[in-house]
Amino acid sequence: MSDARESDARAIELRKVSRWFNGGTVKAVDDVSFMVHPGECFGLIGPNGAGKTTSFSMMCGYLRPTHGQVRVMGEDPGRPGALKRRLGALPQDAVLPFGAKVGWLLTYWARLSGLPQPEREARESLEKMDLAQAWGMEPQELSHGMGKRVAMAQAMMGAPPVLLLDEPTSGLDPKIAAHVRGVIRDAKGRQTVVVSSHNLQELEELCDRVAILDRGKLQQVGTVSELTSRSAEFRVQIARGTVPLEAVKALKGCAGASLPQPAMLVVQYDAKVSPDEEMITATLQLLIGHGVFVLGVTRGRRLEDRVLELGEAPVVAAAVVSAS
Amino acid sequence: MEQLNEVAIIWGAEVRRAVRSARVITLLALYLMFTALVLMGLAYAFHQVQQQIDDQIALRGATQEAVQPQLEQLKQSFLGGLFSDDTALLESLAKVPLIVLLTFKVTLFFLPMYIAVMGFDQISGEIGPRSIRYLSVRARRSSILWGKYLSQATLLGGLVLVVDLAVIAVARWLTPSFQPLAMATTLLKCWLAATVFSLAYVALSSFCSSLFRSAAVSLIFNLFALFGFWLVNAIGEGASRVVERAAKLAEEDPSLEAPSKVYTVLGWLQYASPSHYSTNLLHPHFLKFLGTTGVYAAFAAAFLVMGYAVLRRRDL
């Protein structure tokens, strides 16, 4: 594949990127590589200090990498004017400037982005965030949630091909967070979206692929189902009764079963030997036959569990990236 | 072309925001009040001096016309001390009421400090709270710097015009012989001179503001830089005077020892300060004015290039 075609297939690419602070004593991002395909929704996950915001900031051109290469739409984000009209960014902790009304600010930014109908674009974007009433308000009059949505509206203006959203729902109440997730879901497919979040359930719901970062290193990157081993594991929540663990292990295709908690049965299996539906049905039949009452079944590990395992997992950055 | 458009949009937006900002309005009002105070003080002093002169003339039984040449000579030597001994400049300044020149000189001394107070957070005030991130994905960093610089320069140009208008009006009230044509010419000259002078100091504040994340630190650094410029100018002028005086004395008495070379070197320091060149901003010869404007433009360009170099490399 030629270079041009390769870059067409990569909306964003980080190649061996490191960002150090304090003369190299703090390695916020260390030798991280991954790529984001056009039109996909990509998640950045990790605990505090994992390097998510630093990676995000390098993609937006706010920070320069100490080593390595960042490319967004084939461009170096640090090059002046490189991503004008091509990138919408929701920075995590940027304060909305005071001294102007929200509508005026959005129109100003839309004009600066070179959008043909700045005021209309600003109004539509604010309406899309269900915040038309904020048009005449000053930023200091906005609640945290409203400010977040105004910031989100500025990122969405003009429907840029790449959207980078750092913690888009943090601090929002559940109803508004759901609305914001709906907006992101709408953008999927038409725009390349990168979402950084602590809310793993949200990322599971929104993202096609995710990268797990920890202490500046890339731990894993892949589809959500790959990371959660959805096709090879399920959990059964037990209401009451004694689980016949040995009988479960003896089921065809079962690779292992355990009770990490008294009310939680975890079953690993080989999906090639026993397809998902057969394995789950056989296990439930067995449990019910032994007088066990079941409350629910969850396929795969939750992403949260995968992230919680980080402390024990070895760093597999290079291997996983080559696979992606 | 696209970059020019970015600069124009940022410039327009920043001016609009500034004229609606309570802080900027307060600062403008404070500067006008300060100038009014200077003006009132000087007007009072002039009134007293004029009264004493009139009393002396009456006491000695002389006429105003008879002592006029002496008064003119006194004014010339005062202006020589205040501005320079350039004959063409002094002749030109002699036609302008003294109160205008004194107020001009005083306001020019304080203008850099005012510029620092007004513009210290133009960049750092956006970097600290990271609101610059909303701009930097839409506009080049150089456009942000230029747009903000031009908006500050525009505000200063407006402020200086208001101040100069007030000064000219007071001068007209105190000096009935100050004719409309002379008033208009003086207003234009003083406004152009102060605006050109401001260009370098606004650029200095842009540079200082680009250096730091904290607006307060930018202000402190800016004030230190102003003090540094004032110091090198004072040292340089002092050393130059020593060298000039020694040269004059040596002409009278060749046996006198020449001053140390250190004085000559220290004398060069004055050229490093933008304020050193302010005198020629009122020069009647257009080329001299143009040359001085060039010097201020060079200072402004140097500060802006340094500001851009910092902003270009810094994390936002």
Side-chain angles (χ1 to χ4, degrees):
Chain A
M1 199 188 286
S2 73
D3 275 0
R5 275 190 183 176
E6 273 185 36
S7 69
D8 281 349
R10 298 165 191 171
I12 297 169
E13 184 177 15
L14 273 73
R15 196 179 288 174
K16 291 189 165 295
V17 169
S18 298
R19 174 62 208 222
W20 302 344
F21 293 99
N22 297 341
T25 52
V26 178
K27 293 182 176 175
V29 171
D30 191 9
D31 200 27
V32 165
S33 303
F34 61 80
M35 67 181 78
V36 182
H37 305 296
E40 81 173 337
C41 185
F42 189 86
L44 281 178
I45 325 166
N48 287 334
K52 301 186 300 290
T53 296
T54 306
S55 304
F56 175 90
S57 298
M58 286 190 283
M59 289 184 241
C60 293
Y62 305 146
L63 304 180
R64 284 166 199 284
T66 310
H67 298 294
Q69 202 179 51
V70 180
R71 289 284 177 269
V72 177
M73 309 281 291
E75 296 277 359
D76 172 6
R79 191 176 67 78
L83 294 172
K84 194 179 164 95
R85 283 189 293 275
R86 302 166 83 182
L87 177 80
L90 169 70
Q92 189 193 352
D93 43 10
V95 176
L96 289 167
F98 290 176
K101 291 194 164 41
V102 166
W104 182 85
L105 269 177
L106 290 177
T107 310
Y108 163 41
W109 288 332
R111 192 171 291 132
L112 205 51
S113 293
L115 301 180
Q117 291 175 294
E119 189 177 331
R120 200 180 123 191
E121 201 66 58
R123 280 189 190 279
E124 283 178 1
S125 197
L126 209 52
E127 276 162 21
K128 193 186 273 181
M129 297 312 301
D130 201 13
L131 206 60
Q133 74 275 18
W135 182 265
M137 292 169 81
E138 298 267 350
Q140 62 266 36
E141 296 167 353
L142 302 173
S143 66
H144 173 78
M146 289 168 96
K148 193 87 181 179
R149 280 187 288 161
V150 169
M152 182 85 179
Q154 64 80 34
M156 307 290 292
M157 282 192 304
V162 174
L163 264 179
L164 302 179
L165 310 172
D166 197 359
E167 303 278 358
T169 56
S170 75
L172 299 182
D173 70 48
K175 191 181 164 198
I176 295 170
H179 178 78
V180 170
R181 277 195 292 275
V183 173
I184 297 171
R185 213 176 289 117
D186 286 348
K188 259 175 84 171
R190 289 181 288 117
Q191 289 164 279
T192 306
V193 187
V194 176
V195 186
S196 140
S197 179
H198 284 295
N199 186 339
L200 304 174
Q201 229 173 335
E202 173 177 290
L203 290 182
E204 261 185 298
E205 183 191 327
L206 288 173
C207 297
D208 303 308
R209 292 196 309 134
V210 291
I212 302 175
L213 293 164
D214 184 38
R215 284 161 286 178
K217 290 206 176 271
L218 182 71
Q219 299 291 332
Q220 208 167 351
V221 62
T223 63
V224 173
S225 59
E226 277 168 9
L227 294 188
T228 55
S229 306
R230 185 170 280 169
S231 61
E233 186 178 298
F234 66 89
R235 287 153 188 252
V236 184
Q237 200 181 346
I238 309 294
R240 61 177 187 273
T242 308
V243 174
L245 206 55
E246 291 311 314
V248 175
K249 285 178 184 171
L251 286 169
K252 185 187 161 197
C254 183
S258 61
L259 285 159
Q261 294 161 33
M264 178 68 72
L265 168 68
V266 179
V267 180
Q268 286 96 24
Y269 59 99
D270 185 344
K272 286 176 191 160
V273 177
S274 191
D276 301 348
E277 66 279 9
E278 284 180 21
M279 189 67 209
I280 292 169
T281 308
T283 308
L284 289 178
Q285 280 173 343
L286 181 72
L287 290 174
I288 292 162
H290 279 78
V292 177
F293 287 81
V294 173
L295 274 176
V297 179
T298 317
R299 285 174 65 201
R301 282 172 293 176
R302 286 175 57 220
L303 200 50
E304 194 172 330
D305 300 322
R306 179 65 194 95
V307 174
L308 286 172
E309 287 168 15
L310 280 177
E312 301 129 39
V315 176
V316 289
V320 172
V321 167
S322 60
S324 74
Chain B
M1 195 63 194
E2 193 182 24
Q3 180 155 18
L4 278 179
N5 195 35
E6 284 175 5
V7 172
I9 292 169
I10 295 171
W11 168 71
E14 290 296 326
V15 169
R16 189 179 178 279
R17 261 175 77 190
V19 294
R20 290 173 181 218
S21 141
R23 197 193 87 186
V24 172
I25 299 293
T26 309
L27 283 173
L28 290 176
L30 280 176
Y31 195 75
L32 285 174
M33 270 170 59
F34 166 75
T35 312
L37 271 175
V38 171
L39 210 53
M40 279 162 62
L42 286 174
Y44 178 74
F46 273 107
H47 185 70
Q48 295 294 313
V49 170
Q50 190 64 49
Q51 201 144 33
Q52 279 185 19
I53 291 170
D54 290 346
D55 288 350
Q56 287 295 319
I57 290 169
L59 201 69
R60 293 176 188 190
T63 60
Q64 186 79 34
E65 289 75 28
V67 294
Q68 196 59 36
Q70 285 155 296
L71 288 175
E72 285 301 321
Q73 203 176 4
L74 198 67
K75 187 180 174 185
Q76 286 269 1
S77 77
F78 179 69
L79 288 177
L82 197 63
F83 286 91
S84 113
D85 48 9
D86 185 311
T87 320
L89 176 67
L90 288 179
E91 274 175 15
S92 155
L93 294 180
K95 293 170 195 158
V96 179
L98 206 51
I99 192 165
V100 174
L101 299 174
L102 275 172
T103 316
F104 175 78
K105 202 72 181 168
V106 172
T107 51
L108 225 54
F109 181 79
F110 289 103
L111 202 54
M113 268 178 274
Y114 177 76
I115 290 169
V117 173
M118 203 171 88
F120 70 97
D121 60 349
Q122 53 182 294
I123 306 284
S124 55
E126 297 249 31
I127 295 174
R130 293 181 172 162
S131 53
I132 199 165
R133 291 181 168 193
Y134 296 117
L135 289 178
S136 69
V137 290
R138 300 182 159 87
R140 293 157 180 84
R141 295 184 187 196
S142 55
S143 305
I144 297 172
L145 185 73
W146 266 104
K148 284 179 177 281
Y149 167 73
L150 289 176
S151 69
Q152 292 288 315
T154 307
L155 287 175
L156 254 297
L159 168 78
V160 166
L161 184 65
V162 174
V163 167
D164 287 347
L165 272 169
V167 174
I168 297 288
V170 172
R172 164 75 177 162
W173 175 60
L174 288 173
T175 324
S177 60
F178 196 28
Q179 292 304 306
L181 182 65
M183 284 166 66
T185 319
T186 307
L187 175 67
L188 183 68
K189 271 187 173 180
C190 287
W191 180 72
L192 272 178
T195 304
V196 168
F197 177 83
S198 303
L199 291 180
Y201 285 103
V202 173
L204 175 67
S205 84
S206 300
F207 166 57
C208 294
S209 195
S210 306
L211 279 175
F212 304 99
R213 204 165 266 283
S214 154
V217 179
S218 296
L219 176 63
I220 292 165
F221 185 82
N222 199 339
L223 293 176
F224 270 113
L226 291 180
F227 178 70
F229 280 132
W230 175 81
L231 201 64
V232 293
N233 193 32
I235 293 171
E237 281 185 357
S240 287
R241 279 200 200 110
V242 169
V243 174
E244 279 169 25
R245 196 164 177 80
K248 271 187 188 168
L249 290 173
E251 273 177 24
E252 291 163 16
D253 182 1
S255 66
L256 282 173
E257 205 176 311
S260 160
K261 284 270 181 208
V262 174
Y263 285 100
T264 314
V265 174
L266 285 177
W268 295 338
L269 279 179
Q270 61 188 318
Y271 300 108
S273 167
S275 293
H276 169 73
Y277 305 90
S278 65
T279 302
N280 274 347
L281 286 170
L282 288 176
H283 206 282
H285 295 163
F286 184 65
L287 281 179
K288 283 239 175 185
F289 170 74
L290 209 62
T292 310
T293 303
V295 172
Y296 277 98
F299 270 110
F303 292 139
L304 284 174
V305 165
M306 289 194 289
Y308 177 62
V310 173
L311 195 60
R312 174 97 175 79
R313 291 187 62 82
R314 78 163 312 131
D315 294 340
L316 297 181

